[in-house]
Amino acid sequence: MNYILDTHILIWYFIGSKRLKKTIKDVIDTALNNGKKVLIPTIVLAEALDVAEKQKVVFDFKGMYQLIKNDDRFEIIGFSQVIFEEVMKLKTIPEIHDRIIVACAKFYSASIITKDKIIRNSDEINTL
């Protein structure tokens, strides 16, 4: 199983935040150490950049981005026409950024690691 990290999870993982549950950190670490891909949608990177620029959480976005780009265990995934067509089908998730993330997970047959209750309760995709 491959995983997609939602924005909060991505930031918390890279800054070593105590807000990230140990069980979730262990799932990510296990995936990374056992040849699974951890997928990062470009929309998640854009949201993380926004968080960093607005200093909602102080962290080194450029450093995090370089680590993701240079580590083969991560894969940055784009927002293609096929994914957009999946976005249009998702009616149970009102927020467009979340719909894009869920559509990416569906397209890549991945589970989403997220704290977002709407995504978690949507039954659209497997979540952790």
Side-chain angles (χ1 to χ4, degrees):
M1 172 69 57
N2 291 327
Y3 297 100
I4 285 182
L5 301 186
D6 199 358
T7 309
H8 286 91
I9 302 300
L10 175 68
I11 294 169
W12 291 345
Y13 182 78
F14 273 94
I15 68 171
S17 174
K18 301 271 188 218
R19 296 184 75 182
L20 182 66
K21 293 180 183 175
K22 183 181 179 338
T23 54
I24 297 298
K25 182 187 181 309
D26 290 346
V27 166
I28 297 168
D29 288 341
T30 299
L32 291 172
N33 293 326
N34 290 321
K36 304 291 183 195
K37 286 281 186 181
V38 174
L39 309 174
I40 313 294
T42 52
I43 191 71
V44 168
L45 290 173
E47 288 179 336
L49 175 62
D50 187 58
V51 168
E53 288 179 345
K54 291 179 179 172
Q55 297 184 338
K56 293 179 182 177
V57 177
V58 177
F59 70 102
D60 178 10
F61 175 83
K62 288 181 183 178
M64 181 187 77
Y65 179 59
Q66 287 303 313
L67 284 171
I68 291 168
K69 276 187 6 178
N70 296 329
D71 189 332
D72 306 2
R73 301 172 303 168
F74 291 97
E75 182 177 343
I76 297 171
I77 55 174
F79 180 34
S80 66
Q81 178 183 348
V82 175
I83 292 172
F84 177 70
E85 289 172 3
E86 187 64 42
V87 167
M88 291 190 301
K89 297 176 193 172
L90 296 170
K91 301 297 182 197
T92 62
I93 300 171
E95 208 277 318
I96 194 66
H97 300 101
D98 292 341
R99 286 168 64 185
I100 294 168
I101 294 165
V102 170
C104 288
K106 288 181 145 229
F107 180 78
Y108 286 94
S109 300
S111 289
I112 301 175
I113 301 177
T114 184
K115 75 172 195 88
D116 188 293
K117 289 181 181 171
I118 294 172
I119 293 173
R120 293 175 68 83
N121 294 332
S122 73
D123 292 329
E124 293 285 354
I125 196 76
N126 291 330
T127 61
L128 293 177

